Amino acid sequence: MCVICFVKALVHVFKIYLTANYTYNFRSWPVDFRWDEVHASSGRGSSHRALTCTAAAAGVWLLQDAALRENEPGRPLHGSRSHLQCLLQQIRELPSQLASYVLAHSLGRWLVYPGSMFLMTRVLLPLLQQGQERLVERYHGRRAKLVARDGNEIDTMFMDRRQQPGSQGHGLHLVICCEGNAGFYEMGCLSAPLEAGYSVLGWNHPGFGGSTGEPFPQHDANAMDVVVKYALHRLHFPPTHVVIYGWSIGGFTATWATMTYPELGALVLDATFDDLVPLALKVMPQSWKGLVVRTVREHFNLNVAEQLCSYPGPVLLLRRTLDDVVSTSDHLRPLPSGDVEGNRGNELLLSLLQHRYPAVMANEGLAIVTRWLRTGTVAQEAAFYARYRVDDDWCLALLRSYRARCKKEQKDEAWGPHGLPFPWLVGQGLSPRRRRQLALFLARKHLKNVEATHCSPLEPEDFQLPWRL
């Protein structure tokens, strides 16, 4: 009996040693995949613009805010402004630039990405170890070290379901999960698609868990780039079977991935926002407004809506009706049930629909969708939808007819990886009543309400792939 107990104790100690070694010695692990292992001649990379050697060393390409683009060094001068005037302007802006840099690399980074703080990682270490053990033992997860183009090492975990895809074939689809600002793949948003039967690839932001570096937008995009390349070229998933899932601030890297790799199959955004500036102004003193706006634009320009509109594929937005984190409402916490008017996901949906269907979202269409977004419960949403007697069959027939007509008129070369590129001019000449109905139909297909708080785990049944026409 004592021998059996000794063996059990020895196994337990060895298990603990392996778990600890799994965490602390990750930096000494061999590299499994590098960003430059993919050759341009492979034909499976992105169709987005190529990078020069200098740009590759600096990082992947990012969209810039319009205000920043106006101040680019290479832009022509406005009017008769001389080089001396420009120099004086730069000197005058130097103190504010310095203050913005200091704020971004101290308090700003801790507020935007608290998960990168060493103290938080130490506190969560037992839970992270348990999460890793669960993923490896229960789901046969495979951990891998990826190296991004900026040299950061990215900690990833892959759960392969292709051998047992399930009756609906979920396992044949890979869901790449982009965590929030305090989320780790060990205990983050990947649980919903994983329990729903999908193959899942989780990764940690630079500076989170086993990943190195600091979680600024450029580093985050570099990490996302190597993760997508790893999924396509090492795990060998077809681009059409890759789904990008972003939760909260993970919506930035999720939309960057689909913008940069438009051939990817689908995009799901959960509890995310359109732009960081309104949320930053909500929590910072009003007297800091100028400094906050400048700091966000120059160092944390998470322009999710702009990137989202650059993706031509299927999109689903999950709006959490009890979410007070991405809401700019003035209510004190907790947020009253059903109060979704200040949720920044509303602006995200409006930006998407206005870009894709400008004729539908003109005048009556925009007004009716804005009103529909104020409904915060399933009952309210159904009643509002029924009130305007939306005919789903008619809406589908109209959209399909427009697509078929455009296919006859255009050459196949003009079509993108997801068919007819946006924007669509469908809806021109419709009566106000029909325009409202079509706008409501499209809004309901692109946004789903979930009764949950911001940090509540998403239920597996609430995770679903976007609607396809």
Side-chain angles (χ1 to χ4, degrees), residues 111 194 197 234 274 402:
L111 289 176
L194 188 60
R234 179 59 60 84
D274 60 323
Y402 174 83

Side-chain angles (χ1 to χ4, degrees), residues 181-229:
N181 63 357
F184 303 79
Y185 73 70
E186 294 90 342
M187 45 181 290
C189 66
L190 61 72
S191 61
L194 188 60
E195 294 179 16
Y198 293 90
S199 295
V200 174
L201 176 60
W203 62 282
N204 281 333
H205 296 284
F208 284 56
S211 298
T212 62
E214 295 181 342
F216 287 95
Q218 183 68 68
H219 298 166
D220 241 2
N222 293 340
M224 187 76 241
D225 179 59
V226 73
V227 168
V228 173
K229 284 183 168 69

Side-chain angles (χ1 to χ4, degrees), residues 372 375-386 444 447-449:
W372 175 79
T375 60
T377 66
V378 175
Q380 291 176 348
E381 181 184 348
F384 193 94
Y385 202 73
R444 201 178 192 190
L447 184 139
K448 174 185 175 183
N449 283 321

Side-chain angles (χ1 to χ4, degrees), residues 439-453:
L440 284 175
F441 173 82
L442 291 169
R444 201 178 192 190
K445 290 297 184 182
H446 287 83
L447 184 139
K448 174 185 175 183
N449 283 321
V450 178
E451 189 175 355
T453 61

Side-chain angles (χ1 to χ4, degrees), residues 202-461:
W203 62 282
N204 281 333
H205 296 284
F208 284 56
S211 298
T212 62
E214 295 181 342
F216 287 95
Q218 183 68 68
H219 298 166
D220 241 2
N222 293 340
M224 187 76 241
D225 179 59
V226 73
V227 168
V228 173
K229 284 183 168 69
Y230 176 67
L232 297 178
H233 301 278
R234 179 59 60 84
L235 302 181
H236 302 295
F237 278 88
T240 54
H241 286 193
V242 176
V243 180
I244 308 296
Y245 172 40
W247 170 62
S248 189
I249 209 170
F252 170 74
T253 47
T255 53
W256 182 90
T258 51
M259 171 190 72
T260 309
Y261 296 88
E263 65 271 22
L264 296 180
L267 173 64
V268 179
L269 296 178
D270 177 14
T272 191
F273 50 86
D274 60 323
D275 187 25
L276 186 60
V277 168
L279 299 175
L281 293 175
K282 171 188 172 183
V283 299
M284 299 299 286
Q286 182 65 27
S287 57
W288 289 27
K289 180 178 179 179
L291 178 61
V292 169
V293 172
R294 181 178 194 127
T295 301
V296 170
R297 288 290 177 239
E298 293 185 354
H299 300 279
F300 299 104
N301 190 32
L302 307 184
N303 46 350
V304 177
E306 189 177 4
Q307 294 184 159
L308 174 63
C309 292
S310 298
Y311 175 58
V315 174
L316 175 63
L317 308 181
L318 300 179
R319 183 179 66 169
R320 304 194 177 203
T321 58
L322 303 178
D323 194 338
D324 57 2
V325 175
V326 296
S327 174
T328 51
S329 295
D330 295 329
H331 295 290
L332 298 176
R333 296 185 179 185
L335 196 68
S337 177
D339 186 0
V340 293
E341 190 170 350
N343 192 299
R344 298 306 300 185
N346 300 342
E347 303 302 321
L348 200 57
L349 176 69
L350 293 176
S351 297
L352 178 66
L353 294 183
Q354 286 178 301
H355 167 73
R356 293 191 169 189
Y357 308 99
V360 178
M361 292 299 293
N363 303 323
E364 301 88 357
L366 177 61
I368 200 65
V369 172
T370 302
R371 291 175 56 192
W372 175 79
L373 286 170
R374 297 171 187 166
T375 60
T377 66
V378 175
Q380 291 176 348
E381 181 184 348
F384 193 94
Y385 202 73
R387 176 183 174 186
Y388 287 89
R389 301 178 181 177
V390 179
D391 187 344
D392 290 2
D393 293 335
W394 175 83
C395 293
L396 281 173
L398 179 65
L399 293 171
R400 288 170 177 166
S401 173
Y402 174 83
R403 184 179 61 181
R405 186 170 69 252
C406 291
K407 188 173 183 179
K408 291 181 180 179
E409 297 174 355
Q410 297 181 4
K411 297 181 180 179
D412 292 340
E413 293 80 4
W415 285 46
H418 298 278
L420 180 65
F422 293 105
W424 288 16
L425 299 181
V426 62
Q428 291 180 334
L430 290 179
S431 66
R433 181 177 67 88
R434 285 300 196 184
R435 185 179 290 114
R436 292 190 191 99
Q437 291 178 341
L438 185 55
L440 284 175
F441 173 82
L442 291 169
R444 201 178 192 190
K445 290 297 184 182
H446 287 83
L447 184 139
K448 174 185 175 183
N449 283 321
V450 178
E451 189 175 355
T453 61
H454 186 79
C455 295
S456 300
L458 187 70
E459 296 297 330
E461 57 269 20

